[in-house]
Amino acid sequence: MTTQQKPVVLITGATAGFGLATAKKFAANGYPLIITGRREERLKALSDELSPLVAVYYAVLDVRSSDDVTEFTKNLPERFQQVAILVNNAGLALGAEPADQAKLSDWHTMIDTNVTGLVNVTHSLLPTLKAQKSSTIINLASIAGNWPYPGSHVYGASKAFVAQFSRNLRSDFAGTGVRVTSLEPGMAESEFSLVRFNGDQEKYNQIYNGANAIQPEDIADIIFWITEQPAHLNINSLEVMPTSQAWDNFKIVKQ
Ligand SMILES: NC(=O)c1ccc[n+]([C@@H]2O[C@H](COP(=O)([O-])OP(=O)(O)OC[C@H]3O[C@@H](n4cnc5c(N)ncnc54)[C@H](OP(=O)(O)O)[C@@H]3O)[C@@H](O)[C@H]2O)c1
């Protein structure tokens, strides 16, 4: 199969972490790529790096704006219009204080990005995805959407939305060519914790040193594997943790 025949892949949040590694993985395998994010200089650098391998289109896109998402989708260059693999990856956590100490603005930003942003992108691309013979949506949820932990409040709840939205999309598209996966990683080393803790490098080091966390390339390999499954198979959800991570006990807080 030549590069020209491979399906077009759209990745949101391709400027760092999972999205960046996933872009490299698909490029190495010859897939034409649309890469998006807010940091243009990073998109341009990635585009320059990958363009010798595959066709790349980059666009600055804040997924929170439904107008911008609609414009972006409407104006995709012809070569990139037939998106068949959507990796809804853009997302973030902000803070890990107990709920009563969290900033309301942080809660809004998480909902706007992880819920509204993902919905914006999905809704604008569904007609395209449905028009393909076979297409795949991979939504980045999290173990935080499956299991509670202190300080997760809105972040975990936003990822529970992503997981249930994925299952509900499956219900609507059963029997069509559209596949949907909720990918639910545990602790992974990326800029995620720098964003969460406002650039605090010391906290980042505390979290990851010795943790043997998931690496972005591990997630990129899993995403690629999901898309490579035969068209009659749908990976509904996939939860992955580093071997070093597991569940904690139920807690009892005595009065
Ligand atoms: N790392 C973990 O432990 C972990 C575990 C489970 C799930 N996840 C989820 O996996 C996804 C990727 O996380 P990561 O670990 O790769 O984090 P990361 O290294 O911080 O990357 C996050 C990406 O999201 C983009 N982004 C954030 N807000 C955006 C917005 N409003 N519009 C467009 N793009 C936006 C960022 O790009 P710009 O800043 O350039 O816009 C960046 O490319 C997220 O949804 C995260 O919740 C992460």
Side-chain angles (χ1 to χ4, degrees):
M1 192 184 264
T2 68
T3 297
Q4 295 308 312
Q5 292 164 319
K6 294 226 173 163
V8 175
V9 181
L10 166 55
I11 303 170
T12 64
T15 57
F18 301 168
L20 177 68
T22 302
K24 290 184 178 178
K25 179 78 186 180
F26 278 102
N29 286 278
Y31 287 67
L33 279 178
I34 305 167
I35 51 174
T36 68
R38 291 167 302 174
R39 286 170 286 183
E40 184 166 17
E41 67 291 353
R42 289 196 184 198
L43 290 171
K44 188 177 178 322
L46 185 59
S47 170
D48 289 347
E49 183 186 335
L50 302 182
S51 288
L53 299 175
V54 288
V56 181
Y57 173 68
Y58 78 84
V60 174
L61 180 68
D62 187 329
V63 295
R64 293 173 294 180
S65 162
S66 63
D67 287 349
D68 289 359
V69 169
T70 305
E71 275 303 293
F72 158 78
T73 308
K74 217 168 58 189
N75 294 316
L76 281 172
E78 202 182 342
R79 170 71 187 90
F80 296 93
Q81 280 170 10
Q82 301 308 316
V83 175
I85 296 174
L86 168 61
V87 184
N88 268 323
N89 165 75
L92 79 179
L94 294 172
E97 311 82 358
D100 58 314
Q101 290 161 39
K103 284 195 207 133
L104 181 59
S105 60
D106 284 349
W107 282 7
H108 284 160
T109 303
M110 287 188 276
I111 293 167
D112 291 348
T113 310
N114 302 350
V115 177
T116 308
L118 186 138
V119 162
N120 288 341
V121 175
T122 306
H123 189 266
S124 81
L125 281 160
L126 278 180
T128 305
L129 291 160
K130 214 174 156 197
Q132 307 306 311
K133 194 164 164 248
S134 174
S135 59
T136 310
I137 303 171
I138 297 177
N139 292 328
L140 263 294
S142 168
I143 59 165
N146 302 345
W147 313 103
Y149 64 86
S152 176
H153 34 75
V154 166
Y155 177 66
S158 73
K159 293 301 185 178
F161 174 94
V162 173
Q164 186 66 2
F165 182 55
S166 306
R167 286 188 284 265
N168 288 340
L169 288 175
R170 279 279 293 124
S171 296
D172 282 350
F173 294 120
T176 74
V178 184
R179 305 189 292 184
V180 188
T181 300
S182 170
L183 177 54
E184 299 153 8
M187 179 198 235
E189 189 168 355
S190 66
E191 292 180 14
F192 177 82
S193 289
L194 277 180
V195 172
R196 182 169 209 167
F197 300 110
N198 206 16
D200 187 335
Q201 188 65 48
E202 211 169 296
K203 202 151 201 168
Y204 178 96
N205 295 340
Q206 268 170 24
I207 292 168
Y208 293 115
N209 282 353
N212 214 355
I214 296 170
Q215 297 301 308
E217 292 72 23
D218 300 323
I219 297 299
D221 287 349
I222 292 169
I223 289 172
F224 187 71
W225 174 82
I226 290 167
T227 65
E228 289 278 289
Q229 294 308 300
H232 68 284
L233 293 184
N234 192 104
I235 306 296
N236 296 338
S237 61
L238 198 160
E239 186 181 86
V240 53
M241 289 183 189
T243 316
S244 58
Q245 188 175 33
W247 306 270
D248 208 346
N249 293 328
F250 286 112
K251 69 176 174 188
I252 298 170
V253 182
K254 295 195 172 164
Q255 304 296 321

